[in-house]
Amino acid sequence: MRSMVERSSKMKICYISLFPEVIEAYNNVGMMRKAQEIDAVEFIYLNLREFGLGPRRQVDDTPYGGGDGMVLKPEPISGAILKAKDLVGEDALVILPTPRGKLFTQDDSKRFAKINKNLIIFCPRYEGYDERIVKLVDEQICIGSYVLTGGEIPAMVISDSIVRLRPDVLGGAQSVDKESFQNNLTFVEHAQYTRPEIFEGSSVPEVLKNGNHKEIEKWREENSLT
Ligand code: ADE
């Protein structure tokens, strides 16, 4: 069966984070685990702390101009990005999850899945990062109109949605092409049912049980457009 992305090669994704174990735990189950097992992807984790300055491995400092919270210093970030490029290649794309970025959509996932470049995702924490690191970044990405406490969840959202589009990660091209948002932004996949036939008084739609594939297809099409 043809795959969504034609050329099959292992994509490397390197995360830079103060809490890489959070991302690693997520990536080691389910579909992300399978993607690693079939060599569709390799995940690499760098702990920003290891690039911290001085004996205490300092990664943050107070903001110029005053204000609450701490700001991530530029040197550890730039050191970590350099190391990441050593590991996954100079031409890897550097992604910065930030509420200041461009809204991430399925079109972006497809673009990254097809581009055949490795990725480096830097996950900010604290009140933010020194703005001068932005020149080391290729894309600033926002995953939605809300503010999270760090870049780890956005990094997982971004990489999950890309990796599942890589060749052989999902069962077949079909499941990718038919699902929500794949064809346009308003398409939402039809509802699904499984056993039991009646759950708390609510039955599975008759049409799905009668074995008439034409009718089932029609129902699914209509149900998709809701
Ligand atoms: N960091 C904090 N909130 C975020 C968001 N909504 N998108 C991307 N990065 C973020």
Side-chain angles (χ1 to χ4, degrees):
M1 197 177 286
R2 270 179 72 241
S3 256
M4 166 82 199
V5 181
E6 295 294 342
R7 190 147 51 99
S8 181
S9 61
K10 179 159 77 174
M11 175 183 242
K12 293 183 184 172
I13 303 181
C14 179
Y15 305 89
I16 300 167
S17 164
L18 282 169
F19 306 102
E21 66 278 8
V22 172
I23 307 169
E24 196 169 358
Y26 178 75
N27 282 343
N28 283 344
V29 297
M31 208 53 93
M32 294 304 107
R33 181 194 177 115
K34 181 193 155 195
Q36 293 174 85
E37 286 170 355
I38 64 170
D39 256 356
V41 67
E42 181 182 344
F43 298 121
I44 296 155
Y45 306 93
L46 293 181
N47 193 323
L48 185 64
R49 181 70 58 191
E50 282 168 26
F51 301 87
L53 307 183
R56 298 187 58 230
R57 301 239 173 256
Q58 184 187 359
V59 293
D60 60 346
D61 210 333
T62 52
Y64 270 107
D68 289 336
M70 301 291 273
V71 174
L72 290 170
K73 296 169 73 59
E75 307 95 311
I77 302 169
S78 115
I81 291 176
L82 263 181
K83 175 69 183 177
K85 289 201 164 181
D86 252 14
L87 296 172
V88 303
E90 194 56 44
D91 67 339
L93 289 178
V94 180
I95 294 174
L96 171 66
T98 163
R100 299 163 64 116
K102 183 181 156 287
L103 187 67
F104 191 61
T105 67
Q106 187 69 9
D107 280 345
D108 294 309
S109 299
K110 285 194 271 183
R111 179 167 58 85
F112 285 121
K114 280 184 182 165
I115 203 169
N116 274 326
K117 283 196 172 185
N118 294 329
L119 305 178
I120 297 167
I121 311 181
F122 164 60
C123 309
R125 275 269 156 180
Y126 303 120
E127 297 304 308
Y129 46 84
D130 188 296
E131 191 66 20
R132 288 167 292 183
I133 62 112
V134 162
K135 64 174 185 287
L136 308 174
V137 167
D138 296 297
E139 304 216 15
Q140 299 184 57
I141 292 178
C142 171
I143 63 158
S145 309
Y146 40 78
V147 180
L148 300 161
T149 53
E152 286 75 17
I153 292 173
M156 290 186 278
V157 168
I158 294 163
S159 56
D160 179 295
S161 71
I162 295 167
V163 169
R164 63 194 293 287
L165 298 180
R166 296 289 296 172
D168 306 322
V169 174
L170 295 184
Q174 270 228 321
S175 31
V176 167
D177 288 338
K178 283 196 177 170
E179 73 191 9
S180 309
F181 305 121
Q182 192 62 34
N183 300 314
N184 63 63
L185 273 176
T186 52
F187 180 85
V188 178
E189 193 185 21
H190 58 81
Q192 304 265 25
Y193 297 86
T194 184
R195 267 136 294 270
E197 203 176 322
I198 299 173
F199 173 67
E200 295 186 352
S202 180
S203 328
V204 172
E206 272 316 308
V207 58
L208 299 181
K209 297 186 287 183
N210 70 10
N212 183 328
H213 294 291
K214 260 205 161 135
E215 278 183 26
I216 293 174
E217 218 31 62
K218 185 164 169 279
W219 180 88
R220 286 185 165 162
E221 222 161 81
E222 286 166 5
N223 189 265
S224 293
L225 299 175
T226 51

